[in-house]
Amino acid sequence: QVQLVESGGGSVQPGDSLRLSCAASGRTDMYFAMAWFTQAPGKEREFVAGVSQSTSSTIYADSVRGRFTISRDNAKMMVYLHLTNLKPEDTAVYYCAARPRSSLLPTMRPIDYAYWGQGTQVTVSS
């Protein structure tokens, strides 16, 4: 079993930056792809960014490409999401997710992810 714990959320103003962190623990060797998703009130969970197990491949939602950067440090069992030029529409709960072991490439579908964190709130407002 893999446990994921997010941190780093908060309330910021438009144009500000944040770095979200996701710590993995449990019976894992980090041999899977990981991703970040959001879920706003009344909306379905949406893909934000994903990174392959080797870190060589990343994918982004069109709405965040060029503003958000996903990275991971397998030795530290951490995944990060660096958010820049934040907009009010980025307001949501941000979830870290991991695919099943040996699924090495990220996808945009929540159903492809086996493990989820509890989420961290990001609020962007002036």
Side-chain angles (χ1 to χ4, degrees), residues 21-90:
S21 299
C22 173
S25 63
R27 295 174 61 86
T28 178
D29 54 6
M30 297 292 283
Y31 198 64
F32 42 58
M34 299 191 71
W36 288 90
F37 289 78
T38 61
Q39 189 162 23
K43 292 189 175 182
E44 294 185 352
R45 196 160 291 189
E46 296 182 349
F47 173 81
V48 176
V51 59
S52 64
Q53 185 275 335
S54 69
T55 76
S56 64
S57 176
T58 56
I59 54 175
Y60 294 92
D62 289 343
S63 60
V64 307
R65 188 176 293 111
R67 298 190 299 122
F68 293 5
T69 303
I70 188 170
S71 61
R72 64 189 286 171
D73 185 330
N74 290 334
K76 294 182 178 179
M77 299 177 67
M78 297 290 294
V79 176
Y80 306 98
L81 186 67
H82 187 207
L83 299 72
T84 66
N85 191 21
L86 280 160
K87 304 176 181 180
E89 51 263 41
D90 295 321

Side-chain angles (χ1 to χ4, degrees), residues 110-122:
I111 196 172
D112 292 335
Y113 292 80
Y115 307 102
W116 294 84
Q118 83 291 346
T120 185
Q121 176 72 44
V122 172

Side-chain angles (χ1 to χ4, degrees), residues 97-117:
R99 295 201 66 195
R101 190 178 186 278
S102 299
S103 296
L104 306 184
L105 295 178
T107 70
M108 296 184 176
R109 303 191 312 167
I111 196 172
D112 292 335
Y113 292 80
Y115 307 102
W116 294 84

